[in-house]
Amino acid sequence: MIDYVARTLILLMLFTILVLTYIVLWQRKKINYDDLTNLISYSSFLKKGTSILKNAKPREYVIFLIDIDGFRYLNLLLGTDVANVILTMIPSYLDSCMKDLGVTEYLCTRKFADKFVLLCKTTNVFLEDVSPLKYGKYFSNMIKNRVNINIELRYSIGKVIIDDPKKSLLILIGEAHLANKQCKNYYNTYSETFSSETVNRVLVEKNILFRMNQQLLEDSMKIYLQPKYDLKSGEIVGAEALVRWIEDGQVMYNPDQFIPIFEKYYFIKELDLFMFKQVCKTLKELEEKSKENILISVNMSRITLMEKNFAQVLLAIINSYDLSPSDIEIEITESAICGNLDNVIRQVNELKSAGFQLSLDDFGAGQSTLTTLNCFDIDIIKLDKEFLSNSLNRSDMCIMVKHLIDLMHDFNLKVVAEGVETKEDVDLLRTYGCDIAQGYYFSKPVPKDMFYRLI
C-alpha cells in the first residue's frame, strides 16, 4: 500500500514538473517569438539588433519598415482568418526577397499588425534598389495559390541606411516609420529612404496642419497682386491675386508647400473664400482711392468648385461690398475639370449667369481640348507658363502658338500669357496678337500697397 502511494506521488510530481516545464517553455516562446508568424518578438529584435549594431560600421546595415497599404480593410473585406493567413506568409516572402538581394544576414520581426521590421547587412544592391521588396508579384501569387483569392497587394517601405550605428535602434525604427509614411499617397508599391529632407517634409506638414485655422488666415495670409499688361497699349489692365504666407515680414512657407496640404485636408475652401474677400476689399479700396476699375482674377480650387450653392456664396460676399461681379475674374484650372466635368459645368454656368468673368487657367499644361472650350462659356484663356517657354524657343512651336491665339480669338476669347520673362517673348506674343501678358519681365507679385502705386 505504501509503495503504491509512493509511486502515485512520484508520478504526480513528474507530471507536475512536466506541466510546469511546458508552461515555462511556452511563456519563454511567447516572450521571444511572435505567436502568429513565429518570427522573433519585437522585444527580442530590439535586444539582438542593439547587440549587432554595437560592433557595426557606418552604412553596414539597413533598416526597413514594411507594411501593406490598407491592411485594416483586408480584415473587413476578407475576414480576420484570411488576413492572418496573409500575415503568416510574409516571413517566407521576405526571406525570398533577401535571397534575391544576396543578403545572408538579416533579422526580422513583426512590430504589430502588418508592420514588419528588418535589420539587414547591406549589399551594393541595397544602397540603390529594393525592387524585390517594391514589386510584390511573387507574394501576390503566393496568396492566390494559398487562399484562392485574386488580390493585388501594395506595400509602403521605409528605408534607413544606418550611418551612425551608435544611434538608438528605436530612433532608427522611428525614422524608417517616417519614411514609410511618405509612401502612402502613391498608387504603386513605393519605397523611400529616410533623410533630413524626409524629416523636414513631415515637420512642415505637421506645423501647417496644427496652425490650419481661421486665425491663420487673418494673421498670416496676405494678398499679393501680379499686374497684367495690355500688349498693345502697355498699360496695366488687371491683376492676379496670389496668396503669400507672411510672418514678421518674412515668407514663412511657399504656396507650393502649404496649398497641397490645404487641399489634402479640405482647408483650401476656407482659403479660397478668404482670398475672394481680400479681392473684394482691394477693389473697394481702389474705388475709394478714385483709381480706375481693373479686373482682378482669383483662383478657385476643384474642391471649392464642388461646393453646393458656391455661386450664391460668392454673390452674397460681393454684394456685401457693393461691387459688381463683372469686376472679378474667376480662374478655373484644368485640373479642376478632370473627373468632375458635369458638376463643374453646372457651377461655371451659375457663375457666368451671375455676371462673373471666367478664365481657363494653365491652358496647355494638361489635356486641353477644343471640347473643353465648347463645354464652358468662358471669357479668357490663360496660356500656361511652361507651355509658352517650351514653345517660344522653337520655330515650329511658335507657329502653333500663333495659330492657337488666332483660334482663341475666333472663339471670341481674350488670350493672356503667363510667366513672360524676356523682351523677346513679349515681342513675339505682341506680333502673334496675344492680348495680355503677365510675368517677371513686367513685375513680380507685389503687396497691394505697392500695386496701388503702379496704377
Side-chain angles (χ1 to χ4, degrees):
M1 181 68 180
I2 295 174
D3 290 342
Y4 173 77
V5 172
R7 284 197 301 271
T8 302
L9 289 172
I10 291 170
L11 288 173
L12 284 171
M13 289 176 62
L14 289 172
F15 178 75
T16 301
I17 291 169
L18 286 172
V19 170
L20 290 174
T21 303
Y22 174 80
I23 290 172
V24 169
L25 291 174
W26 180 79
Q27 287 287 353
R28 187 175 296 171
K29 182 178 180 182
K30 190 177 177 73
I31 293 171
N32 294 323
Y33 291 90
D34 178 53
D35 287 341
L36 185 64
T37 63
N38 213 32
L39 292 168
I40 61 170
S41 66
Y42 184 56
S43 59
S44 296
F45 175 88
L46 292 175
K47 290 177 183 177
K48 291 185 179 181
T50 300
S51 177
I52 289 171
L53 292 179
K54 277 183 180 179
N55 301 313
K57 300 173 184 177
R59 300 179 73 83
E60 187 179 6
Y61 284 88
V62 174
I63 281 186
F64 289 105
L65 191 144
I66 304 165
D67 63 11
I68 300 172
D69 292 347
F71 184 78
R72 56 185 161 181
Y73 298 110
L74 280 181
N75 277 305
L76 297 174
L77 293 170
L78 305 178
T80 303
D81 291 342
V82 174
N84 283 344
V85 169
I86 293 172
L87 290 178
T88 62
M89 297 166 68
I90 289 180
S92 175
Y93 163 65
L94 293 176
D95 185 64
S96 299
C97 290
M98 293 299 103
K99 289 177 181 176
D100 288 344
L101 290 165
V103 176
T104 56
E105 296 181 39
Y106 74 93
L107 202 60
C108 182
T109 186
R110 183 170 75 111
K111 187 179 179 186
F112 64 89
D114 64 315
K115 297 193 182 300
F116 290 78
V117 183
L118 289 93
L119 176 65
C120 314
K121 198 163 188 177
T122 57
T123 65
N124 290 333
V125 177
F126 255 132
L127 300 180
E128 302 296 334
D129 180 37
V130 289
S131 55
L133 292 174
K134 283 169 62 178
Y135 307 114
K137 298 295 183 185
Y138 170 72
F139 187 41
S140 295
N141 289 333
M142 285 174 58
I143 293 171
K144 291 170 188 175
N145 294 333
R146 178 81 177 270
V147 298
N148 196 28
I149 294 175
N150 187 10
I151 58 174
E152 201 71 39
L153 296 180
R154 299 179 182 87
Y155 316 92
S156 293
I157 304 169
K159 180 173 72 170
V160 177
I161 300 171
I162 304 175
D163 292 307
D164 181 10
K166 293 183 174 59
K167 189 181 285 187
S168 164
L169 185 54
L170 281 172
I171 292 176
L172 292 168
I173 293 171
E175 291 174 350
H177 181 70
L178 279 178
N180 173 282
K181 292 281 284 183
Q182 298 304 300
C183 308
K184 294 299 181 184
N185 293 328
Y186 293 87
Y187 175 79
N188 291 319
T189 304
Y190 190 76
S191 68
E192 174 140 348
T193 302
F194 175 84
S195 63
S196 58
E197 288 79 12
T198 305
V199 175
N200 288 337
R201 282 201 306 270
V202 173
L203 292 178
V204 165
E205 177 168 349
K206 295 304 179 187
N207 188 40
I208 292 171
L209 182 59
F210 291 147
R211 300 188 58 191
M212 211 162 56
N213 54 43
Q214 193 65 33
Q215 195 62 43
L216 170 68
L217 298 179
E218 299 293 341
D219 292 345
S220 303
M221 295 298 163
K222 309 299 181 185
I223 181 172
Y224 273 51
L225 297 162
Q226 185 170 40
K228 297 179 183 179
Y229 287 79
D230 185 292
L231 285 175
K232 287 183 180 178
S233 67
E235 295 179 352
I236 295 176
V237 292
E240 179 178 1
L242 299 164
V243 65
R244 294 292 183 266
W245 186 331
I246 307 290
E247 293 185 3
D248 298 325
Q250 301 292 323
V251 174
M252 186 73 175
Y253 296 113
N254 293 318
D256 59 358
Q257 290 179 294
F258 65 82
I259 286 179
I261 297 170
F262 283 12
E263 289 178 337
K264 180 178 178 181
Y265 295 98
Y266 286 78
F267 191 68
I268 193 68
K269 296 182 292 185
E270 309 301 326
L271 178 63
D272 285 347
L273 292 178
F274 172 80
M275 286 298 293
F276 186 80
K277 292 175 183 176
Q278 293 303 305
V279 168
C280 290
K281 287 180 182 179
T282 301
L283 287 168
K284 201 65 181 174
E285 288 172 3
L286 285 170
E287 184 182 289
E288 291 169 356
K289 292 175 183 291
S290 299
K291 297 283 189 179
E292 185 178 345
N293 284 346
I294 63 169
L295 187 67
I296 298 183
S297 63
V298 60
N299 290 278
M300 290 294 157
S301 69
R302 172 184 57 84
I303 293 169
T304 306
L305 279 172
M306 297 308 297
E307 285 290 292
K308 290 183 178 179
N309 303 318
F310 168 62
Q312 285 73 21
V313 170
L314 295 192
L315 273 176
I317 293 171
I318 204 168
N319 288 336
S320 69
Y321 286 91
D322 194 24
L323 294 167
S324 169
S326 61
D327 293 331
I328 297 180
E329 173 191 333
I330 305 295
E331 292 192 13
I332 304 164
T333 62
E334 280 192 295
S335 60
I337 298 170
C338 296
N340 301 292
L341 193 57
D342 291 340
N343 289 321
V344 174
I345 289 173
R346 176 174 50 79
Q347 295 281 23
V348 167
N349 287 339
E350 287 187 26
L351 291 170
K352 183 66 177 176
S353 299
F356 290 100
Q357 296 282 301
L358 300 174
S359 64
L360 183 60
D361 196 13
D362 298 335
F363 191 84
Q367 299 177 350
S368 311
T369 66
L370 296 180
T371 303
T372 303
L373 295 179
N374 193 44
C375 290
F376 297 97
D377 187 11
I378 59 176
D379 305 284
I380 301 164
I381 286 291
K382 298 191 71 176
L383 300 179
D384 177 65
K385 174 184 175 181
E386 294 299 324
F387 168 72
L388 278 178
S389 63
N390 293 331
S391 300
L392 295 178
N393 292 324
R394 293 173 47 185
S395 57
D396 56 336
M397 293 296 288
C398 281
I399 296 172
M400 185 181 74
V401 172
K402 179 183 184 305
H403 287 299
L404 179 59
I405 292 172
D406 289 339
L407 183 61
M408 295 303 106
H409 287 159
D410 290 340
F411 277 96
N412 294 317
L413 300 175
K414 283 187 178 180
V415 180
V416 177
E418 291 186 287
V420 178
E421 297 182 354
T422 67
K423 184 178 184 303
E424 291 75 18
D425 288 350
V426 172
D427 292 339
L428 274 175
L429 290 166
R430 186 181 289 119
T431 301
Y432 295 159
C434 183
D435 303 293
I436 298 169
Q438 69 180 94
Y440 274 51
Y441 174 78
F442 299 102
S443 171
K444 64 181 181 180
V446 295
K448 62 181 182 179
D449 289 342
M450 189 179 296
F451 178 77
Y452 294 160
R453 294 196 292 269
L454 292 174
I455 58 176

